[in-house]
Amino acid sequence: MLKLNRDHISLLLPTSGEAATGRRSLRRTWNQLSRFQRNIIFTVLLAFLLMSLLLYSGLGDVRADKPETPRREQREAERPAREEIGAIEVILRPPDDVEAAEERDATARAELENPPTSVRTPAQEGPKVFAGPQNERQRAVVAAFQHAWTNYRAFAWGHDNLKPMSQGHHDWFGLGLTIVDALDTLYIMNLRKEFDEARQWVESGLSFEVNRDVNLFEVTIRVLGGLLSAYHLSGEQMFLVKAADLGNRLLPCFESQSGIPYSDVNLATLRAHSPKWSPDSSTSEVTTIQLEFRDLSRSTGDDIYETVSHKVNEKIHSLEKRHGLVPIFINANTGMFRTFSTISLGARADSYYEYLLKQWLQMGKKEEDFLIEDYSMAIEGVLSQLVRETPNEHHVYIGELINGKEFKPKMDHLTCYLPGTLLLGHKHGMPESHLKLAKDLLETCFQTYMKQPTQLAPEITYFNLHGESDKDIYVKSNDAHNLLRPEFIESLYYFYVITGNKTYQDMGWTIFNAFEKHTKVKNGYTSIGNVKNVLNTRPRDMMESFFLGETLKYFYLLFSDDRNEIDIDEYVFNSEAHPLPIRDH
């Protein structure tokens, strides 16, 4: 008789003596068959077994136009079974038995047909209407975007980044990062033709069956965030289906012993691991995924994404910190910070602080008080441990604690997101000390641009601490590159939107023109290697996806006559400038 289960197939034959003759007869008959006849029999038996497996496991209803790709046994065990209900793909974990599977299916269907009041149904999403550029500055930004987009389309379409000098492309993850990152920018700028073309590529050309390791953090903020934002603004469910598929493939990262996610995962094999260069992950990487995973849960009705990512919040909250400040490295296996690790508001820690505040806002300021408490404590730690003022020109800046002890007067450009975040926090009740630091730090960040001949900021700036330099702000040669980063423009945007002061628009206009003068080339825009010499900027032949996804988007919104073009009381921007809805229930 034929016996089937989820793990194997066994053919049980009678073993009594009466069957011996039958077996010899069958063997003789089998040996008399030609090789062609045997192959036919094997094919028929194999087809029968495969069909039985499909029917038994419940996978027979997979869409005929998109068959399931065969998996190795381990992948079948690790990968959640999926079922498409309506147009939304949700996770259904492998059940222990058929009865449990049926119950789970019924529950999932009921939730999507009658969603809880705290989950928006697709019919309630978008489309949000944007009028397009309304003034000369916005039109200049749109022209810059179209110049970048046209050349990306010509030389790098479907690839991650454009190499404008060599008219080529660069692939990091092989996921068309520039297209996905720019979806909501296209929509906000009302570039309908370009948006429709990008949408078509996402629908037919974006596949996550990529046999390549990807970084959980980068793919979450750029791709998952981009798809979710495009869904919320346009109302097109295809983006949500794609987002759910990607979310499912990122879940293996959370299967560590500590609950701190692994930094990398192969989207095809679903195998997650720590970075190859270290057993530790960057703290910012494991704490800058929650906005996106929470939104995915509340958009699909499946709470698994929010559950696993929020456990990271709880774990980090439980760890010992220095005045609320966190080291820049954490181990996914032990769940502990690296001993004697640097404390910084720049690379590897920056967005941890940003997401404490923004998660609290995303949930309507009604849930998880420990997030806003951790944020408030951390900013107090910044004020007492990291803030310094230069001796001559009195520039306020944020330094680093090397090995958690030795102060270093070094500030990454990445830190220039903080003035905007501080002002956003003050808008929602944070103390006056946060506002003062926001204003002081914004001015210092502006000076990191203005003190360079190109009027473009370097990647890293140093400050005069004890008179070791004749300048209060100086740049080392190895740190003089500019990658077209958005962080300071992001802060200017918050200052303009919250205060209405057009001075911040003028500051941004100065920097926009510097980008136009020193980074615009024939076939797009390029990062440069030297902001200290207008005659030798050393173009680096790279246009990162965030230039279209963040920098030009923030410029466009900064120059808007309507400060509520994206209402920050209704949306919260993720770390890649993708707006996600604030839910007050």
Side-chain angles (χ1 to χ4, degrees):
M1 75 181 108
L2 193 65
K3 181 179 179 181
L4 300 179
N5 60 35
R6 295 182 65 87
D7 299 318
H8 65 278
I9 302 169
S10 61
L11 192 61
L12 302 182
L13 297 175
T15 58
S16 66
E18 296 176 353
T21 302
R23 286 202 301 270
R24 287 195 296 269
S25 177
L26 285 173
R27 188 180 301 111
R28 186 180 302 110
T29 302
W30 175 258
N31 291 333
Q32 292 173 349
L33 295 177
S34 68
R35 178 176 297 178
F36 176 74
Q37 290 172 322
R38 295 178 189 177
N39 287 339
I40 292 177
I41 293 172
F42 275 129
T43 302
V44 171
L45 285 174
L46 180 62
F48 174 77
L49 292 175
L50 287 175
M51 287 298 296
S52 300
L53 275 174
L54 289 173
L55 291 173
Y56 184 83
S57 61
L59 296 177
D61 59 347
V62 174
R63 289 178 299 175
D65 63 337
K66 190 175 181 182
E68 182 74 357
T69 304
R71 306 292 201 270
R72 287 176 295 181
E73 290 183 2
Q74 182 171 357
R75 287 185 58 195
E76 287 291 352
E78 293 174 346
R79 185 169 188 163
R82 300 173 188 187
E83 179 166 336
E84 188 170 274
I85 303 173
I88 301 176
E89 192 174 32
V90 297
I91 294 179
L92 295 176
R93 290 295 184 188
D96 295 329
D97 51 46
V98 176
E99 184 178 350
E102 293 175 350
E103 182 179 354
R104 193 76 176 266
D105 290 354
T107 301
R109 293 179 188 278
E111 287 179 352
L112 287 175
E113 292 171 0
N114 301 287
T117 57
S118 60
V119 178
R120 296 186 181 190
T121 64
Q124 293 173 294
E125 300 288 354
K128 185 173 173 60
V129 177
F130 293 91
Q134 300 297 299
N135 56 56
E136 288 302 317
R137 289 181 176 180
Q138 278 196 314
R139 281 189 278 274
V141 176
V142 172
F145 183 96
Q146 289 178 311
H147 177 68
W149 182 260
T150 299
N151 284 283
Y152 168 78
R153 186 182 182 280
F155 302 114
W157 185 251
H159 296 281
D160 287 343
N161 301 310
L162 168 68
K163 296 174 68 69
M165 310 295 293
S166 57
Q167 299 180 4
H169 61 263
H170 168 263
D171 276 320
W172 187 8
F173 302 136
L175 298 176
L177 290 182
T178 293
I179 297 176
V180 183
D181 235 353
L183 282 168
D184 53 9
T185 307
L186 288 163
Y187 196 86
I188 290 167
M189 290 181 175
N190 201 30
L191 296 173
R192 297 300 305 178
K193 178 181 177 182
E194 292 86 348
F195 176 80
D196 289 342
E197 185 176 40
R199 180 209 177 282
Q200 180 60 39
W201 181 86
V202 170
E203 183 171 30
S204 59
L206 178 59
S207 170
F208 297 122
E209 192 68 26
V210 178
N211 188 18
R212 180 184 298 186
D213 286 354
V214 302
N215 180 267
L216 169 66
F217 160 71
E218 294 288 358
V219 167
T220 295
I221 65 171
R222 300 190 195 213
V223 184
L224 183 57
L227 292 170
L228 289 170
S229 179
Y231 162 66
H232 291 300
L233 295 180
S234 72
E236 298 196 34
Q237 286 190 8
M238 179 272 296
F239 293 122
L240 181 58
V241 173
K242 290 281 187 179
D245 182 18
L246 177 57
N248 293 344
R249 294 170 187 267
L250 296 176
L251 285 175
C253 287
F254 297 90
E255 295 174 0
S256 70
Q257 292 181 351
S258 69
I260 296 296
Y262 294 115
S263 64
D264 296 273
V265 63
N266 186 300
L267 295 180
T269 67
L270 303 183
R271 291 182 176 176
H273 57 83
S274 299
K276 294 179 179 179
W277 50 268
S278 169
D280 299 331
S281 300
S282 299
T283 300
S284 61
E285 291 185 353
V286 304
T287 56
T288 312
I289 52 179
Q290 286 77 10
L291 287 178
E292 299 81 0
F293 274 68
R294 180 177 293 108
D295 186 75
L296 182 58
S297 274
R298 300 191 179 194
S299 296
T300 62
D302 193 321
D303 63 1
I304 183 64
Y305 316 105
E306 181 172 5
T307 297
V308 296
S309 63
H310 187 63
K311 285 181 179 178
V312 182
N313 285 333
E314 295 173 332
K315 177 63 176 180
I316 298 293
H317 173 68
S318 71
L319 297 178
E320 184 178 354
K321 307 174 185 66
R322 179 184 178 122
H323 301 277
L325 304 174
V326 296
I328 63 175
F329 290 112
I330 189 169
N331 190 292
N333 293 312
T334 66
M336 302 300 292
F337 292 124
R338 181 191 292 182
T339 305
F340 304 120
S341 183
T342 294
I343 291 175
S344 170
L345 267 289
R348 305 193 185 283
D350 50 350
S351 44
Y352 160 70
Y353 305 98
E354 174 190 3
Y355 269 40
L356 288 175
L357 173 67
K358 289 185 174 180
Q359 287 185 78
W360 181 67
L361 296 177
Q362 182 189 34
M363 295 182 286
K365 301 188 292 186
K366 294 181 178 180
E367 298 180 50
E368 303 303 344
D369 288 341
F370 78 81
L371 292 171
I372 194 61
E373 291 168 0
D374 285 355
Y375 171 78
S376 180
M377 182 180 297
I379 301 305
E380 294 306 310
V382 170
L383 286 164
S384 66
Q385 303 294 307
L386 301 181
V387 171
R388 297 289 191 278
E389 185 175 310
T390 61
N392 303 314
E393 298 175 343
H394 304 290
H395 298 298
V396 174
Y397 64 97
I398 296 176
E400 299 180 348
L401 291 177
I402 306 302
N403 295 328
K405 297 178 181 180
E406 179 187 352
F407 183 83
K408 188 174 185 178
K410 164 185 174 289
M411 188 171 80
D412 296 351
H413 181 272
L414 290 169
T415 306
C416 287
Y417 83 93
L418 188 60
T421 298
L422 287 168
L423 186 64
L424 182 63
H426 179 264
K427 177 182 184 310
H428 291 280
M430 293 295 103
E432 290 297 311
S433 59
H434 293 210
L435 175 61
K436 184 180 186 305
L437 179 58
K439 292 179 178 180
D440 290 343
L441 193 58
L442 187 84
E443 176 59 28
T444 300
C445 286
F446 185 56
Q447 291 305 316
T448 65
Y449 283 81
M450 294 302 101
K451 287 186 178 293
Q452 303 308 318
T454 57
Q455 295 191 324
L456 291 174
E459 181 73 0
I460 297 173
T461 299
Y462 282 82
F463 297 87
N464 190 12
L465 182 61
H466 298 304
E468 67 276 8
S469 172
D470 58 351
K471 296 180 180 179
D472 271 9
I473 293 178
Y474 61 98
V475 180
K476 298 181 180 181
S477 297
N478 289 340
D479 305 322
H481 47 287
N482 182 291
L483 304 182
L484 311 175
R485 287 199 186 276
E487 285 75 21
F488 181 60
I489 312 308
E490 173 186 353
S491 284
L492 287 176
Y493 164 71
Y494 280 112
F495 268 75
Y496 166 63
V497 167
I498 292 173
T499 70
N501 189 335
K502 295 184 178 181
T503 298
Y504 304 115
Q505 291 181 312
D506 295 336
M507 294 165 70
W509 183 243
T510 299
I511 296 171
F512 174 77
N513 284 310
F515 276 123
E516 286 289 288
K517 183 176 182 179
H518 299 294
T519 70
K520 185 177 182 179
V521 293
K522 179 181 178 181
N523 295 307
Y525 290 81
T526 180
S527 56
I528 59 176
N530 184 17
V531 300
K532 301 196 293 183
N533 190 336
V534 296
L535 300 178
N536 183 27
T537 59
R538 301 203 301 267
R540 297 171 62 138
D541 194 21
M542 178 64 70
M543 188 180 78
E544 297 272 3
S545 72
F546 56 66
F547 181 63
L548 280 72
E550 297 186 76
T551 308
L552 292 181
K553 181 189 295 162
Y554 278 129
F555 270 129
Y556 181 82
L557 295 173
L558 170 64
F559 298 144
S560 179
D561 296 328
D562 179 9
R563 288 156 54 197
N564 291 321
E565 189 148 7
I566 297 288
D567 191 340
I568 61 173
D569 289 328
E570 295 182 3
Y571 291 89
V572 60
F573 286 89
N574 84 335
S575 198
E576 192 77 5
H578 297 306
L580 303 174
I582 290 173
R583 304 183 188 276
D584 58 3
H585 50 275

